[in-house]
Amino acid sequence: MTEWSKQQLDNRQGIFSLWLTWVGSTMALLAIVLSPLIVRPIIVPIVAVVLEMLFYMMVRRNRSSEFPQCYLIPFLTSRSLIWSTVAILVVLLLTPVPKDAETIPELPFIPIVIIAPITFVMCMWQRLRGVKYPFCVDCRLRHGTPVEKGFLGVLFCQEGTYQVKFLSVISGLMWGITWTYYGWHYIDVNINSADLYFFFILPTVVVVMSIIYMAIRYFSIWNYYEQDLQGSEIRTGDYTELRFILVWSNYIFVRFADPANDVLYDPAQSKGDTPATLKIGRQREVGVHVAKEYLERMMPVLKNADVKFMYTTETCGGASNTMHYMVMIDDADHTRLEDAYPTGTWLSMLMLSRLIDDRQLAPAFSAELYRIYTMVMAWKSYDRNGERLYSVRNYKPTFRLEDLKKYDIDYSDRRWLLVANDNADKPLFGLRRWWRRSIQGKDY
């Protein structure tokens, strides 16, 4: 198999995995909606619990895989199933059902009026939190930001958000329609033809139509990106990108594109970034000395650069990778760099933080700065188990860029990102740690 075909296969599998997760999630919810037509109401919560456990294991297995897919919709489905189970049990406990009934009871049971609003609330809560939703935070900390994961990473982020939005619209419509019919026309005696249509047939039609729509959507996306377009990822092939962060004193060098003087100016790529980036053929590793040679060829003004390797990120499927380096600049190189790049400027971490908040830096550059700052602060504040190194609660150590070369931090160890997110200064840390170790079977 050629490199191009392998990359195409990875993209194809990633794109259609989004459709499969949508099919599995919506069909699971539909199965609970239709289950009273087949089993007695008391069996419905059991079916929901079984499906919830299956989805929980799927999400857990995907989370621990080397190249995970976007399982945001399955995760929300599992949450909807477990809370729907609780609500169904409450309804069944408050509703008298003949215990000696040998067939499906005459008293009708309608799960759609429970599942629809719960699913809507789950989706809207995720949409409200956005990237701060716990599941999404954990995914980014464990596997990297979308831009670090390449084409599929960005696509997963985009389509995960779209699927949640689409599911919230569907569940919201079903909630409004079924509750309106239930309040105005439904008689709690038996299921007539109109009841059967609104509570069972209509949800089935909506789910089937959504599956067909998603199939068309992802086939179109796959067909578009499968084309051998000039400049596309398929034509580019596998590569290794070298990225160098230039540090002088307590400042980082950032270059902004100049539309007046840059003939290659692209408004979509005009955000601040390090000027020291280079793509080469796919390499498993690039040593510091080799990386320094590449840097000096690319930027001859640097005569005394001290290059330090930080970490490597890989795209989904591992077809391409990015190697990140830190370059300590002396005073002489600092002056020459300013003369060579008039559109560049030296910025402190405070200014860089503000630019990140204003989305004025390239996503890859923002991800690098966030990772460095977060890991250093966690390393200086906590041990590997999340316990405080100092007795002062919420202690914030100082952060100085010029001290980075002194720190013995493994930036490839994502555990420090997890420690920064969950540590002894966070509420209920002991309970969450017990849950991770005893229930989930993992440390971090």
Side-chain angles (χ1 to χ4, degrees):
M1 180 180 295
T2 65
E3 294 298 331
W4 282 15
S5 62
K6 179 182 182 302
Q7 190 172 5
Q8 289 174 313
L9 179 61
D10 290 339
N11 289 348
R12 185 184 307 128
Q13 291 177 338
I15 291 172
F16 286 105
S17 71
L18 292 165
W19 180 72
L20 292 176
T21 56
W22 177 264
V23 172
S25 300
T26 53
M27 290 300 292
L29 295 173
L30 182 61
I32 305 303
V33 171
L34 301 180
S35 58
L37 299 177
I38 304 173
V39 299
R40 297 178 59 183
I42 193 63
I43 305 298
V44 175
I46 299 177
V47 176
V49 169
V50 171
L51 289 174
E52 196 280 332
M53 292 178 63
L54 289 175
F55 273 85
Y56 173 80
M57 289 187 290
M58 287 170 51
V59 171
R60 182 174 176 178
R61 181 178 180 181
N62 180 73
R63 178 183 294 172
S64 60
S65 64
E66 184 178 3
F67 300 110
Q69 301 167 356
C70 181
Y71 266 41
L72 179 57
I73 282 292
F75 177 79
L76 290 174
T77 299
S78 70
R79 289 297 181 265
S80 298
L81 288 171
I82 193 64
W83 286 112
S84 296
T85 301
V86 174
I88 290 172
L89 286 174
V90 171
V91 172
L92 291 176
L93 291 175
L94 298 178
T95 304
V97 178
K99 297 182 179 180
D100 57 348
E102 297 180 357
T103 60
I104 298 177
E106 291 295 330
L107 189 64
F109 183 68
I110 308 169
I112 186 63
V113 298
I114 296 176
I115 291 179
I118 289 179
T119 302
F120 177 78
V121 170
M122 294 292 106
C123 291
M124 290 306 296
W125 178 243
Q126 192 283 329
R127 293 179 63 184
L128 180 64
R129 298 298 304 277
V131 295
K132 295 183 179 179
Y133 189 65
F135 181 82
C136 297
V137 171
D138 184 80
C139 179
R140 288 170 182 254
L141 293 177
R142 292 183 184 279
H143 308 295
T145 61
V147 68
E148 292 176 326
K149 305 308 292 182
F151 164 73
L152 285 180
V154 175
L155 182 68
F156 284 158
C157 180
Q158 167 191 305
E159 291 304 309
T161 301
Y162 179 82
Q163 287 188 351
V164 173
K165 181 178 180 180
F166 193 37
L167 185 58
S168 68
V169 171
I170 292 176
S171 57
L173 288 175
M174 287 294 96
W175 181 11
I177 293 172
T178 55
W179 276 45
T180 299
Y181 179 82
Y182 188 93
W184 286 3
H185 300 285
Y186 179 65
I187 300 176
D188 193 9
V189 176
N190 55 21
I191 297 291
N192 57 39
S193 57
D195 300 337
L196 188 66
Y197 172 79
F198 279 97
F199 297 140
F200 299 99
I201 297 179
L202 181 60
T204 302
V205 172
V206 170
V207 168
V208 172
M209 292 300 294
S210 74
I211 291 174
I212 295 174
Y213 167 75
M214 285 295 185
I216 296 174
R217 176 180 178 84
Y218 291 123
F219 179 80
S220 300
I221 292 176
W222 166 75
N223 186 59
Y224 175 79
Y225 285 106
E226 190 77 359
Q227 299 179 66
D228 185 20
L229 301 175
Q230 183 69 33
S232 69
E233 186 184 49
I234 297 300
R235 178 173 283 272
T236 302
D238 300 346
Y239 62 86
T240 290
E241 182 176 13
L242 307 181
R243 291 181 57 85
F244 301 87
I245 298 179
L246 308 178
V247 180
W248 169 73
S249 183
N250 206 34
Y251 302 92
I252 289 179
F253 193 72
V254 184
R255 179 175 182 263
F256 294 87
D258 184 359
N261 300 319
D262 192 346
V263 294
L264 299 178
Y265 174 73
D266 181 359
Q269 304 293 333
S270 62
K271 296 183 178 181
D273 197 0
T274 174
T277 63
L278 175 68
K279 287 185 179 180
I280 60 177
R282 177 70 160 86
Q283 304 289 327
R284 295 186 60 182
E285 61 180 32
V286 177
V288 171
H289 296 293
V290 177
K292 185 176 181 179
E293 292 179 1
Y294 279 119
L295 176 64
E296 291 174 345
R297 293 176 190 173
M298 179 173 47
M299 307 180 73
V301 296
L302 298 180
K303 306 297 183 180
N304 305 305
D306 181 11
V307 180
K308 177 181 179 181
F309 173 76
M310 292 193 296
Y311 61 96
T312 299
T313 55
E314 291 189 344
T315 59
C316 291
S320 301
N321 58 12
T322 301
M323 299 183 183
H324 307 260
Y325 301 85
M326 184 180 302
V327 183
M328 309 306 293
I329 305 295
D330 62 12
D331 293 340
D333 283 351
H334 157 261
T335 303
R336 287 191 289 266
L337 197 61
E338 285 183 329
D339 295 337
Y341 295 92
T343 61
T345 183
W346 295 96
L347 298 175
S348 66
M349 281 301 296
L350 178 60
M351 288 300 301
L352 290 169
S353 176
R354 293 174 180 174
L355 290 176
I356 291 174
D357 293 339
D358 293 338
R359 299 178 183 273
Q360 295 301 309
L361 296 183
F365 194 40
S366 299
E368 289 173 327
L369 297 177
Y370 170 82
R371 181 166 183 156
I372 293 172
Y373 177 82
T374 303
M375 295 185 74
V376 168
M377 295 297 281
W379 178 79
K380 295 180 69 174
S381 304
Y382 311 99
D383 63 16
R384 291 182 58 83
N385 295 317
E387 298 291 348
R388 300 187 194 94
L389 296 179
Y390 307 96
S391 58
V392 181
R393 187 174 181 83
N394 293 315
Y395 170 74
K396 297 295 182 183
T398 57
F399 179 88
R400 293 181 58 84
L401 288 167
E402 62 184 355
D403 293 335
L404 293 180
K405 58 183 178 182
K406 304 176 184 178
Y407 301 148
D408 185 22
I409 303 177
D410 181 6
Y411 292 98
S412 299
D413 188 359
R414 305 192 71 91
R415 185 186 181 98
W416 289 113
L417 294 174
L418 298 170
V419 168
N421 183 64
D422 190 11
N423 51 66
D425 286 324
K426 303 294 184 180
L428 304 176
F429 172 66
L431 180 61
R432 288 197 305 276
R433 179 171 57 186
W434 172 84
W435 180 268
R436 287 199 311 267
R437 295 177 176 178
S438 302
I439 305 301
Q440 296 182 330
K442 60 184 181 182
D443 192 4
Y444 262 108

